Amino acid sequence: MQITLDDLVFDVDVAGPADGEPVLLLHGFPHNKESWTETAPLLHEAGLRTIAPDQRGYSPGARPTDVAAYRLPHLAADALGILDALGITTAHVVGHDWGAAVAWWLAAKHPARVRTLTALAIPHLDAYQHAYRVDEEQQHSSQYVEFLVSQGAADHFLADDAAQLHAWFTQAGEGVLTDAQIARYIATHTRPGTLDAALNWYRANDLLGDDLGFGPVGVPTTFVYSRTDTAVSELAVKRTEEYVTGPYRLVTLEETSHWQPQQDAGTVAAEILGRVRAHTA
């Protein structure tokens, strides 16, 4: 379905029992709402209703040209607007990668709208930024961010008829993304304007500079961390608990890579379901 917010039109997948607990699924970079293809059916089987939008920059009708339009408050406002359009006051919020950053923001800034938070792969960004300032491991792990905001990054990704993009997906996926999964993400990012808009998430939000100012999160929270994820240091993971004042659960996956919803949908679905059942209104 499509949902219009002001002059932006978002593509949104809504599925599962109409009377099920609402679960908002927020994808990250460089994916789309199909990030949840493996996970959402497991949630539906458990009686949950899922709302999975293509976030700003991914839907062809929701692609502003101004870089500042991709700042976190705008991404969070989109998520709330989609819930409003569906008549949903509060939801269980799940995010992976950049979707987790948006989810952390929603939980910190709009706690009345968030029943529970399940953050996948990305820690609380205040903890991430603290680690980047003092921890060599995180500084090394964050080098990819510097590359993504560098001049010409989008041109590099789209070179050679998407051959470079395919190679990047294969490398970034650490061999765990299937050919079918890679193909669906390449199909999205080779549409005119998509990749450049998606990179605006990094350009608009200074992950490595000034404090983004998320602040504490008081809602029941689960953070799912993969030990083999090269993007996040153990210090950032450890410090995340300090920014959660509500019930908190850290789940550490020993073998699953950064791409948790694709590689280990069963574990991801189980953690979401456990958090929802423990804190259902």
Side-chain angles (χ1 to χ4, degrees):
M1 65 183 300
Q2 291 187 322
I3 293 177
T4 301
L5 304 177
D6 295 327
D7 60 344
L8 302 181
V9 181
F10 292 86
D11 298 314
V12 184
D13 288 342
V14 180
D19 60 350
E21 287 287 314
V23 179
L24 178 65
L25 300 173
L26 300 173
H27 70 84
F29 172 93
H31 292 151
N32 55 23
K33 57 185 172 60
E34 293 184 14
S35 292
W36 309 104
T37 297
E38 292 78 18
T39 304
L42 303 177
L43 301 179
H44 303 155
E45 291 174 7
L48 303 182
R49 180 190 186 197
T50 60
I51 302 96
D54 270 343
Q55 293 202 73
R56 181 176 294 219
Y58 285 81
S59 293
R63 193 173 292 151
T65 57
D66 183 11
V67 172
Y70 293 85
R71 289 177 179 156
L72 277 163
H74 298 303
L75 300 174
D78 294 339
L80 295 179
I82 289 168
L83 293 179
D84 289 340
L86 295 171
I88 299 172
T89 303
T90 61
H92 303 276
V93 179
V94 180
H96 175 251
D97 190 78
W98 260 106
V102 179
W104 282 111
W105 184 273
L106 284 169
K109 304 297 186 182
H110 304 278
R113 303 297 303 273
V114 179
R115 297 187 192 179
T116 67
L117 167 65
T118 302
L120 308 175
I122 298 301
H124 191 294
L125 286 196
D126 286 350
Y128 176 95
Q129 290 196 315
H130 168 81
Y132 179 76
R133 289 191 291 267
V134 303
D135 181 26
E136 290 185 2
E137 179 189 357
Q138 187 60 64
Q139 291 164 6
H140 177 75
S141 297
S142 298
Q143 289 179 350
Y144 78 97
V145 177
E146 299 172 359
F147 171 71
L148 290 175
V149 299
S150 65
Q151 188 70 28
D155 292 337
H156 169 78
F157 280 148
L158 290 174
D160 301 326
D161 194 26
Q164 294 295 326
L165 182 61
H166 188 282
W168 186 84
F169 267 113
T170 302
Q171 180 183 9
E174 303 171 14
V176 301
L177 294 179
T178 66
D179 289 342
Q181 290 167 339
I182 292 173
R184 73 194 187 203
Y185 301 133
I186 287 181
T188 293
H189 287 87
T190 51
R191 292 193 306 232
T194 302
L195 185 60
D196 193 57
L199 287 170
N200 283 337
W201 291 10
Y202 287 92
R203 298 164 178 156
N205 301 283
D206 190 1
L207 296 183
L208 308 182
D210 294 335
D211 189 350
L212 292 171
F214 275 57
V217 168
V219 307
T221 298
T222 297
F223 173 40
V224 181
Y225 162 65
S226 295
R227 200 178 297 278
T228 62
D229 190 345
T230 58
V232 179
S233 71
E234 292 194 9
L235 177 61
V237 174
K238 180 179 180 181
R239 288 294 302 266
T240 289
E241 184 174 7
E242 299 175 20
Y243 293 94
V244 180
T245 59
Y248 178 70
R249 171 174 166 80
L250 171 64
V251 178
T252 300
L253 305 180
E254 298 295 338
E255 298 181 1
T256 303
S257 74
H258 174 82
W259 314 107
Q260 301 155 342
Q262 293 83 7
Q263 186 184 6
D264 197 355
T267 297
V268 169
E271 291 300 334
I272 295 169
L273 183 60
R275 180 54 78 186
V276 168
R277 286 178 171 170
H279 298 279
T280 295

